[in-house]
PDB file of all heavy atoms in Angstrom:
ATOM      1  N   ILE T   1     -55.934  25.144  -3.036  1.00  0.00           N
ATOM      2  CA  ILE T   1     -54.909  24.552  -2.147  1.00  0.00           C
ATOM      3  C   ILE T   1     -53.677  25.305  -2.372  1.00  0.00           C
ATOM      4  O   ILE T   1     -52.969  25.401  -1.382  1.00  0.00           O
ATOM      5  CB  ILE T   1     -54.882  22.981  -2.530  1.00  0.00           C
ATOM      6  CG1 ILE T   1     -56.085  22.299  -2.098  1.00  0.00           C
ATOM      7  CG2 ILE T   1     -53.604  22.400  -1.686  1.00  0.00           C
ATOM      8  CD1 ILE T   1     -56.185  20.734  -2.696  1.00  0.00           C
ATOM      9  N   LEU T   2     -53.278  25.616  -3.518  1.00  0.00           N
ATOM     10  CA  LEU T   2     -52.002  26.184  -3.758  1.00  0.00           C
ATOM     11  C   LEU T   2     -51.930  27.637  -3.114  1.00  0.00           C
ATOM     12  O   LEU T   2     -50.854  28.054  -2.851  1.00  0.00           O
ATOM     13  CB  LEU T   2     -51.692  26.362  -5.359  1.00  0.00           C
ATOM     14  CG  LEU T   2     -51.341  25.039  -6.070  1.00  0.00           C
ATOM     15  CD1 LEU T   2     -51.313  25.235  -7.619  1.00  0.00           C
ATOM     16  CD2 LEU T   2     -50.026  24.683  -5.515  1.00  0.00           C
ATOM     17  N   ALA T   3     -53.033  28.249  -2.887  1.00  0.00           N
ATOM     18  CA  ALA T   3     -52.971  29.385  -2.276  1.00  0.00           C
ATOM     19  C   ALA T   3     -52.509  29.236  -0.792  1.00  0.00           C
ATOM     20  O   ALA T   3     -51.836  30.190  -0.254  1.00  0.00           O
ATOM     21  CB  ALA T   3     -54.430  30.071  -2.096  1.00  0.00           C
ATOM     22  N   VAL T   4     -52.681  28.069  -0.144  1.00  0.00           N
ATOM     23  CA  VAL T   4     -52.046  27.735   1.078  1.00  0.00           C
ATOM     24  C   VAL T   4     -50.611  27.491   1.025  1.00  0.00           C
ATOM     25  O   VAL T   4     -49.802  27.960   1.803  1.00  0.00           O
ATOM     26  CB  VAL T   4     -52.805  26.578   1.690  1.00  0.00           C
ATOM     27  CG1 VAL T   4     -52.124  26.188   3.011  1.00  0.00           C
ATOM     28  CG2 VAL T   4     -54.281  26.801   1.904  1.00  0.00           C
ATOM     29  N   VAL T   5     -50.227  26.758  -0.153  1.00  0.00           N
ATOM     30  CA  VAL T   5     -48.855  26.382  -0.362  1.00  0.00           C
ATOM     31  C   VAL T   5     -47.944  27.555  -0.582  1.00  0.00           C
ATOM     32  O   VAL T   5     -46.858  27.672  -0.038  1.00  0.00           O
ATOM     33  CB  VAL T   5     -48.699  25.359  -1.442  1.00  0.00           C
ATOM     34  CG1 VAL T   5     -47.265  25.093  -1.702  1.00  0.00           C
ATOM     35  CG2 VAL T   5     -49.511  24.114  -1.220  1.00  0.00           C
ATOM     36  N   LEU T   6     -48.408  28.454  -1.484  1.00  0.00           N
ATOM     37  CA  LEU T   6     -47.557  29.501  -1.969  1.00  0.00           C
ATOM     38  C   LEU T   6     -47.900  30.963  -1.527  1.00  0.00           C
ATOM     39  O   LEU T   6     -47.053  31.805  -1.532  1.00  0.00           O
ATOM     40  CB  LEU T   6     -47.412  29.556  -3.419  1.00  0.00           C
ATOM     41  CG  LEU T   6     -46.857  28.301  -4.061  1.00  0.00           C
ATOM     42  CD1 LEU T   6     -47.087  28.319  -5.601  1.00  0.00           C
ATOM     43  CD2 LEU T   6     -45.397  28.111  -3.753  1.00  0.00           C
ATOM     44  N   SER T   7     -49.060  30.973  -0.973  1.00  0.00           N
ATOM     45  CA  SER T   7     -49.713  32.350  -0.447  1.00  0.00           C
ATOM     46  C   SER T   7     -49.914  33.128  -1.746  1.00  0.00           C
ATOM     47  O   SER T   7     -48.974  33.595  -2.382  1.00  0.00           O
ATOM     48  CB  SER T   7     -48.846  32.998   0.390  1.00  0.00           C
ATOM     49  OG  SER T   7     -49.298  34.244   0.787  1.00  0.00           O
ATOM     50  N   SER T   8     -51.137  33.507  -2.043  1.00  0.00           N
ATOM     51  CA  SER T   8     -51.471  34.180  -3.217  1.00  0.00           C
ATOM     52  C   SER T   8     -50.917  35.669  -3.180  1.00  0.00           C
ATOM     53  O   SER T   8     -50.615  36.318  -4.192  1.00  0.00           O
ATOM     54  CB  SER T   8     -53.011  34.279  -3.348  1.00  0.00           C
ATOM     55  OG  SER T   8     -53.562  34.878  -2.188  1.00  0.00           O
ATOM     56  N   ALA T   9     -50.747  36.206  -2.012  1.00  0.00           N
ATOM     57  CA  ALA T   9     -50.205  37.592  -1.860  1.00  0.00           C
ATOM     58  C   ALA T   9     -48.861  37.622  -2.331  1.00  0.00           C
ATOM     59  O   ALA T   9     -48.388  38.664  -2.852  1.00  0.00           O
ATOM     60  CB  ALA T   9     -50.306  37.938  -0.376  1.00  0.00           C
ATOM     61  N   CYS T  10     -48.108  36.547  -2.307  1.00  0.00           N
ATOM     62  CA  CYS T  10     -46.660  36.441  -2.653  1.00  0.00           C
ATOM     63  C   CYS T  10     -46.543  36.316  -4.199  1.00  0.00           C
ATOM     64  O   CYS T  10     -45.463  36.699  -4.689  1.00  0.00           O
ATOM     65  CB  CYS T  10     -45.916  35.203  -2.128  1.00  0.00           C
ATOM     66  SG  CYS T  10     -45.971  35.204  -0.314  1.00  0.00           S
ATOM     67  N   LEU T  11     -47.674  36.129  -4.797  1.00  0.00           N
ATOM     68  CA  LEU T  11     -47.648  36.108  -6.309  1.00  0.00           C
ATOM     69  C   LEU T  11     -47.828  37.482  -6.985  1.00  0.00           C
ATOM     70  O   LEU T  11     -47.704  37.653  -8.143  1.00  0.00           O
ATOM     71  CB  LEU T  11     -48.718  35.065  -6.837  1.00  0.00           C
ATOM     72  CG  LEU T  11     -48.553  33.722  -6.405  1.00  0.00           C
ATOM     73  CD1 LEU T  11     -49.731  32.955  -6.974  1.00  0.00           C
ATOM     74  CD2 LEU T  11     -47.222  33.090  -6.797  1.00  0.00           C
ATOM     75  N   SER T  12     -48.034  38.522  -6.106  1.00  0.00           N
ATOM     76  CA  SER T  12     -48.249  39.797  -6.636  1.00  0.00           C
ATOM     77  C   SER T  12     -46.973  40.518  -7.156  1.00  0.00           C
ATOM     78  O   SER T  12     -45.837  40.060  -6.725  1.00  0.00           O
ATOM     79  CB  SER T  12     -48.885  40.736  -5.570  1.00  0.00           C
ATOM     80  OG  SER T  12     -47.816  40.832  -4.580  1.00  0.00           O
ATOM     81  N   ALA T  13     -47.097  41.454  -7.997  1.00  0.00           N
ATOM     82  CA  ALA T  13     -45.924  42.154  -8.556  1.00  0.00           C
ATOM     83  C   ALA T  13     -45.051  42.886  -7.488  1.00  0.00           C
ATOM     84  O   ALA T  13     -43.927  42.818  -7.440  1.00  0.00           O
ATOM     85  CB  ALA T  13     -46.348  43.194  -9.673  1.00  0.00           C
ATOM     86  N   ILE T  14     -45.798  43.306  -6.452  1.00  0.00           N
ATOM     87  CA  ILE T  14     -45.145  43.991  -5.354  1.00  0.00           C
ATOM     88  C   ILE T  14     -44.169  43.017  -4.705  1.00  0.00           C
ATOM     89  O   ILE T  14     -43.047  43.456  -4.296  1.00  0.00           O
ATOM     90  CB  ILE T  14     -46.190  44.631  -4.437  1.00  0.00           C
ATOM     91  CG1 ILE T  14     -46.953  45.781  -5.026  1.00  0.00           C
ATOM     92  CG2 ILE T  14     -45.431  45.185  -3.027  1.00  0.00           C
ATOM     93  CD1 ILE T  14     -48.050  46.291  -4.220  1.00  0.00           C
ATOM     94  N   ALA T  15     -44.672  41.807  -4.335  1.00  0.00           N
ATOM     95  CA  ALA T  15     -43.870  40.929  -3.656  1.00  0.00           C
ATOM     96  C   ALA T  15     -42.746  40.480  -4.503  1.00  0.00           C
ATOM     97  O   ALA T  15     -41.611  40.245  -3.951  1.00  0.00           O
ATOM     98  CB  ALA T  15     -44.737  39.647  -3.165  1.00  0.00           C
ATOM     99  N   GLN T  16     -42.936  40.202  -5.825  1.00  0.00           N
ATOM    100  CA  GLN T  16     -41.753  39.892  -6.647  1.00  0.00           C
ATOM    101  C   GLN T  16     -40.735  40.873  -6.634  1.00  0.00           C
ATOM    102  O   GLN T  16     -39.641  40.622  -6.733  1.00  0.00           O
ATOM    103  CB  GLN T  16     -42.363  39.540  -8.037  1.00  0.00           C
ATOM    104  CG  GLN T  16     -43.230  38.225  -8.045  1.00  0.00           C
ATOM    105  CD  GLN T  16     -43.797  37.943  -9.368  1.00  0.00           C
ATOM    106  OE1 GLN T  16     -43.498  38.767 -10.456  1.00  0.00           O
ATOM    107  NE2 GLN T  16     -44.436  36.847  -9.606  1.00  0.00           N
ATOM    108  N   GLU T  17     -41.068  42.184  -6.702  1.00  0.00           N
ATOM    109  CA  GLU T  17     -40.104  43.280  -6.790  1.00  0.00           C
ATOM    110  C   GLU T  17     -39.245  43.299  -5.406  1.00  0.00           C
ATOM    111  O   GLU T  17     -38.252  43.618  -5.380  1.00  0.00           O
ATOM    112  CB  GLU T  17     -40.795  44.577  -6.979  1.00  0.00           C
ATOM    113  CG  GLU T  17     -41.438  44.787  -8.370  1.00  0.00           C
ATOM    114  CD  GLU T  17     -42.167  46.079  -8.531  1.00  0.00           C
ATOM    115  OE1 GLU T  17     -42.273  46.830  -7.508  1.00  0.00           O
ATOM    116  OE2 GLU T  17     -42.739  46.306  -9.594  1.00  0.00           O
ATOM    117  N   ALA T  18     -39.910  42.874  -4.306  1.00  0.00           N
ATOM    118  CA  ALA T  18     -39.226  43.010  -3.001  1.00  0.00           C
ATOM    119  C   ALA T  18     -38.180  41.894  -2.880  1.00  0.00           C
ATOM    120  O   ALA T  18     -37.123  41.913  -2.136  1.00  0.00           O
ATOM    121  CB  ALA T  18     -40.228  42.806  -1.854  1.00  0.00           C
ATOM    122  N   GLY T  19     -38.206  40.843  -3.715  1.00  0.00           N
ATOM    123  CA  GLY T  19     -37.130  39.722  -3.821  1.00  0.00           C
ATOM    124  C   GLY T  19     -37.879  38.463  -3.488  1.00  0.00           C
ATOM    125  O   GLY T  19     -39.057  38.295  -3.113  1.00  0.00           O
ATOM    126  N   PRO T  20     -37.072  37.269  -3.873  1.00  0.00           N
ATOM    127  CA  PRO T  20     -37.563  36.110  -3.825  1.00  0.00           C
ATOM    128  C   PRO T  20     -38.113  35.687  -2.270  1.00  0.00           C
ATOM    129  O   PRO T  20     -37.349  36.233  -1.347  1.00  0.00           O
ATOM    130  CB  PRO T  20     -36.428  35.139  -4.131  1.00  0.00           C
ATOM    131  CG  PRO T  20     -35.494  35.976  -4.845  1.00  0.00           C
ATOM    132  CD  PRO T  20     -35.638  37.324  -4.349  1.00  0.00           C
ATOM    133  N   ASP T  21     -39.166  35.169  -2.068  1.00  0.00           N
ATOM    134  CA  ASP T  21     -39.614  34.914  -0.744  1.00  0.00           C
ATOM    135  C   ASP T  21     -40.269  33.358  -0.823  1.00  0.00           C
ATOM    136  O   ASP T  21     -40.610  32.781  -1.795  1.00  0.00           O
ATOM    137  CB  ASP T  21     -40.650  35.773  -0.368  1.00  0.00           C
ATOM    138  CG  ASP T  21     -41.949  35.696  -1.178  1.00  0.00           C
ATOM    139  OD1 ASP T  21     -42.906  34.941  -0.811  1.00  0.00           O
ATOM    140  OD2 ASP T  21     -42.101  36.349  -2.350  1.00  0.00           O
ATOM    141  N   ILE T  22     -40.406  32.953   0.447  1.00  0.00           N
ATOM    142  CA  ILE T  22     -41.287  31.750   0.689  1.00  0.00           C
ATOM    143  C   ILE T  22     -42.493  32.201   1.609  1.00  0.00           C
ATOM    144  O   ILE T  22     -42.161  32.473   2.689  1.00  0.00           O
ATOM    145  CB  ILE T  22     -40.459  30.664   1.370  1.00  0.00           C
ATOM    146  CG1 ILE T  22     -39.389  30.214   0.379  1.00  0.00           C
ATOM    147  CG2 ILE T  22     -41.261  29.449   1.806  1.00  0.00           C
ATOM    148  CD1 ILE T  22     -38.385  29.101   1.054  1.00  0.00           C
ATOM    149  N   VAL T  23     -43.582  32.082   1.150  1.00  0.00           N
ATOM    150  CA  VAL T  23     -44.819  32.598   1.841  1.00  0.00           C
ATOM    151  C   VAL T  23     -44.599  33.900   2.545  1.00  0.00           C
ATOM    152  O   VAL T  23     -44.981  34.158   3.600  1.00  0.00           O
ATOM    153  CB  VAL T  23     -45.362  31.503   2.813  1.00  0.00           C
ATOM    154  CG1 VAL T  23     -45.970  30.254   2.063  1.00  0.00           C
ATOM    155  CG2 VAL T  23     -44.379  31.180   3.797  1.00  0.00           C
ATOM    156  N   GLY T  24     -43.915  34.781   1.844  1.00  0.00           N
ATOM    157  CA  GLY T  24     -43.659  36.285   2.420  1.00  0.00           C
ATOM    158  C   GLY T  24     -42.431  36.255   3.158  1.00  0.00           C
ATOM    159  O   GLY T  24     -42.161  37.432   3.617  1.00  0.00           O
ATOM    160  N   LEU T  25     -41.691  35.273   3.486  1.00  0.00           N
ATOM    161  CA  LEU T  25     -40.514  35.483   4.208  1.00  0.00           C
ATOM    162  C   LEU T  25     -39.301  35.638   3.258  1.00  0.00           C
ATOM    163  O   LEU T  25     -39.169  34.851   2.347  1.00  0.00           O
ATOM    164  CB  LEU T  25     -40.328  34.060   5.125  1.00  0.00           C
ATOM    165  CG  LEU T  25     -41.532  33.574   5.895  1.00  0.00           C
ATOM    166  CD1 LEU T  25     -41.094  32.341   6.504  1.00  0.00           C
ATOM    167  CD2 LEU T  25     -42.099  34.551   6.730  1.00  0.00           C
ATOM    168  N   GLU T  26     -38.458  36.501   3.672  1.00  0.00           N
ATOM    169  CA  GLU T  26     -37.357  36.846   2.793  1.00  0.00           C
ATOM    170  C   GLU T  26     -35.994  36.877   3.425  1.00  0.00           C
ATOM    171  O   GLU T  26     -35.967  37.071   4.749  1.00  0.00           O
ATOM    172  CB  GLU T  26     -37.516  38.310   2.198  1.00  0.00           C
ATOM    173  CG  GLU T  26     -38.750  38.422   1.347  1.00  0.00           C
ATOM    174  CD  GLU T  26     -38.916  39.784   0.784  1.00  0.00           C
ATOM    175  OE1 GLU T  26     -37.818  40.472   0.682  1.00  0.00           O
ATOM    176  OE2 GLU T  26     -40.014  40.316   0.537  1.00  0.00           O
ATOM    177  N   LEU T  27     -34.941  36.654   2.704  1.00  0.00           N
ATOM    178  CA  LEU T  27     -33.545  36.737   3.264  1.00  0.00           C
ATOM    179  C   LEU T  27     -33.371  38.170   3.691  1.00  0.00           C
ATOM    180  O   LEU T  27     -33.730  39.110   3.070  1.00  0.00           O
ATOM    181  CB  LEU T  27     -32.545  36.254   2.285  1.00  0.00           C
ATOM    182  CG  LEU T  27     -32.550  34.813   1.819  1.00  0.00           C
ATOM    183  CD1 LEU T  27     -31.621  34.494   0.734  1.00  0.00           C
ATOM    184  CD2 LEU T  27     -32.391  33.888   3.003  1.00  0.00           C
ATOM    185  N   GLY T  28     -32.618  38.412   4.771  1.00  0.00           N
ATOM    186  CA  GLY T  28     -32.339  39.802   5.230  1.00  0.00           C
ATOM    187  C   GLY T  28     -33.306  40.286   6.205  1.00  0.00           C
ATOM    188  O   GLY T  28     -33.036  41.555   6.658  1.00  0.00           O
ATOM    189  N   MET T  29     -34.356  39.667   6.464  1.00  0.00           N
ATOM    190  CA  MET T  29     -35.403  40.243   7.332  1.00  0.00           C
ATOM    191  C   MET T  29     -34.774  40.306   8.845  1.00  0.00           C
ATOM    192  O   MET T  29     -33.928  39.503   9.123  1.00  0.00           O
ATOM    193  CB  MET T  29     -36.618  39.414   7.344  1.00  0.00           C
ATOM    194  CG  MET T  29     -37.568  39.558   6.163  1.00  0.00           C
ATOM    195  SD  MET T  29     -39.175  38.507   6.349  1.00  0.00           S
ATOM    196  CE  MET T  29     -40.224  39.472   5.334  1.00  0.00           C
ATOM    197  N   THR T  30     -35.344  41.236   9.573  1.00  0.00           N
ATOM    198  CA  THR T  30     -35.023  41.236  11.032  1.00  0.00           C
ATOM    199  C   THR T  30     -35.894  40.252  11.693  1.00  0.00           C
ATOM    200  O   THR T  30     -36.857  39.796  11.073  1.00  0.00           O
ATOM    201  CB  THR T  30     -35.301  42.598  11.651  1.00  0.00           C
ATOM    202  OG1 THR T  30     -36.758  42.904  11.452  1.00  0.00           O
ATOM    203  CG2 THR T  30     -34.335  43.780  10.974  1.00  0.00           C
ATOM    204  N   GLN T  31     -35.710  39.898  12.963  1.00  0.00           N
ATOM    205  CA  GLN T  31     -36.545  39.031  13.715  1.00  0.00           C
ATOM    206  C   GLN T  31     -38.005  39.519  13.723  1.00  0.00           C
ATOM    207  O   GLN T  31     -38.980  38.667  13.419  1.00  0.00           O
ATOM    208  CB  GLN T  31     -36.015  38.695  15.039  1.00  0.00           C
ATOM    209  CG  GLN T  31     -36.771  37.642  15.712  1.00  0.00           C
ATOM    210  CD  GLN T  31     -36.172  37.320  17.199  1.00  0.00           C
ATOM    211  OE1 GLN T  31     -34.871  37.632  17.377  1.00  0.00           O
ATOM    212  NE2 GLN T  31     -36.911  36.545  17.998  1.00  0.00           N
ATOM    213  N   ALA T  32     -38.195  40.800  13.995  1.00  0.00           N
ATOM    214  CA  ALA T  32     -39.515  41.284  14.125  1.00  0.00           C
ATOM    215  C   ALA T  32     -40.234  41.271  12.735  1.00  0.00           C
ATOM    216  O   ALA T  32     -41.398  40.899  12.665  1.00  0.00           O
ATOM    217  CB  ALA T  32     -39.508  42.746  14.553  1.00  0.00           C
ATOM    218  N   GLU T  33     -39.474  41.627  11.685  1.00  0.00           N
ATOM    219  CA  GLU T  33     -40.175  41.465  10.250  1.00  0.00           C
ATOM    220  C   GLU T  33     -40.512  40.031   9.919  1.00  0.00           C
ATOM    221  O   GLU T  33     -41.577  39.670   9.416  1.00  0.00           O
ATOM    222  CB  GLU T  33     -39.190  42.012   9.337  1.00  0.00           C
ATOM    223  CG  GLU T  33     -38.859  43.550   9.287  1.00  0.00           C
ATOM    224  CD  GLU T  33     -37.814  44.019   8.479  1.00  0.00           C
ATOM    225  OE1 GLU T  33     -36.979  43.192   8.156  1.00  0.00           O
ATOM    226  OE2 GLU T  33     -37.791  45.279   8.122  1.00  0.00           O
ATOM    227  N   LEU T  34     -39.648  39.039  10.338  1.00  0.00           N
ATOM    228  CA  LEU T  34     -39.803  37.667  10.171  1.00  0.00           C
ATOM    229  C   LEU T  34     -41.149  37.153  10.882  1.00  0.00           C
ATOM    230  O   LEU T  34     -41.961  36.597  10.321  1.00  0.00           O
ATOM    231  CB  LEU T  34     -38.762  36.784  10.597  1.00  0.00           C
ATOM    232  CG  LEU T  34     -38.940  35.273  10.447  1.00  0.00           C
ATOM    233  CD1 LEU T  34     -38.640  34.862   8.954  1.00  0.00           C
ATOM    234  CD2 LEU T  34     -38.058  34.592  11.421  1.00  0.00           C
ATOM    235  N   VAL T  35     -41.266  37.539  12.097  1.00  0.00           N
ATOM    236  CA  VAL T  35     -42.457  37.073  12.994  1.00  0.00           C
ATOM    237  C   VAL T  35     -43.592  37.631  12.381  1.00  0.00           C
ATOM    238  O   VAL T  35     -44.672  37.006  12.262  1.00  0.00           O
ATOM    239  CB  VAL T  35     -42.213  37.465  14.393  1.00  0.00           C
ATOM    240  CG1 VAL T  35     -43.420  37.245  15.205  1.00  0.00           C
ATOM    241  CG2 VAL T  35     -41.031  36.616  15.094  1.00  0.00           C
ATOM    242  N   ALA T  36     -43.567  38.948  12.050  1.00  0.00           N
ATOM    243  CA  ALA T  36     -44.696  39.576  11.344  1.00  0.00           C
ATOM    244  C   ALA T  36     -45.271  38.834  10.173  1.00  0.00           C
ATOM    245  O   ALA T  36     -46.346  38.749   9.863  1.00  0.00           O
ATOM    246  CB  ALA T  36     -44.509  41.054  11.134  1.00  0.00           C
ATOM    247  N   ALA T  37     -44.126  38.490   9.373  1.00  0.00           N
ATOM    248  CA  ALA T  37     -44.533  37.792   8.070  1.00  0.00           C
ATOM    249  C   ALA T  37     -45.099  36.364   8.306  1.00  0.00           C
ATOM    250  O   ALA T  37     -46.044  35.995   7.598  1.00  0.00           O
ATOM    251  CB  ALA T  37     -43.270  37.678   7.237  1.00  0.00           C
ATOM    252  N   ILE T  38     -44.607  35.681   9.316  1.00  0.00           N
ATOM    253  CA  ILE T  38     -45.126  34.314   9.682  1.00  0.00           C
ATOM    254  C   ILE T  38     -46.624  34.440  10.181  1.00  0.00           C
ATOM    255  O   ILE T  38     -47.435  33.692   9.674  1.00  0.00           O
ATOM    256  CB  ILE T  38     -44.189  33.764  10.786  1.00  0.00           C
ATOM    257  CG1 ILE T  38     -42.972  33.262  10.210  1.00  0.00           C
ATOM    258  CG2 ILE T  38     -45.111  32.473  11.353  1.00  0.00           C
ATOM    259  CD1 ILE T  38     -41.916  32.808  11.215  1.00  0.00           C
ATOM    260  N   ARG T  39     -46.859  35.554  10.919  1.00  0.00           N
ATOM    261  CA  ARG T  39     -48.136  35.804  11.379  1.00  0.00           C
ATOM    262  C   ARG T  39     -49.139  36.089  10.293  1.00  0.00           C
ATOM    263  O   ARG T  39     -50.318  35.771  10.331  1.00  0.00           O
ATOM    264  CB  ARG T  39     -48.188  36.868  12.509  1.00  0.00           C
ATOM    265  CG  ARG T  39     -47.495  36.603  13.829  1.00  0.00           C
ATOM    266  CD  ARG T  39     -48.195  35.251  14.429  1.00  0.00           C
ATOM    267  NE  ARG T  39     -47.704  35.122  15.805  1.00  0.00           N
ATOM    268  CZ  ARG T  39     -47.636  33.953  16.476  1.00  0.00           C
ATOM    269  NH1 ARG T  39     -48.203  32.823  15.811  1.00  0.00           N
ATOM    270  NH2 ARG T  39     -47.311  33.790  17.690  1.00  0.00           N
TER     271      ARG T  39
END
C-alpha cells in the first residue's frame, strides 16, 4: 500500500539526490516536467 502512497521509485538514491519530492513532484519543475511526473 505504501508503494502507492510514496511511490517506490521516489525512495531510490537517485530521487533523493534530485531533491525532496512528493511522488516524484519537485519544487522548481516546469509545467511540462510536472505533468510528466504526474503521469
Side-chain angles (χ1 to χ4, degrees):
I1 294 169
L2 283 171
V4 177
V5 177
L6 298 173
S7 176
S8 59
C10 299
L11 298 177
S12 66
I14 295 176
Q16 290 180 355
E17 289 175 1
D21 68 90
I22 296 177
V23 291
L25 313 181
E26 299 179 25
L27 298 176
M29 279 184 162
T30 64
Q31 185 175 347
E33 291 169 341
L34 176 83
V35 171
I38 291 174
R39 290 303 189 202

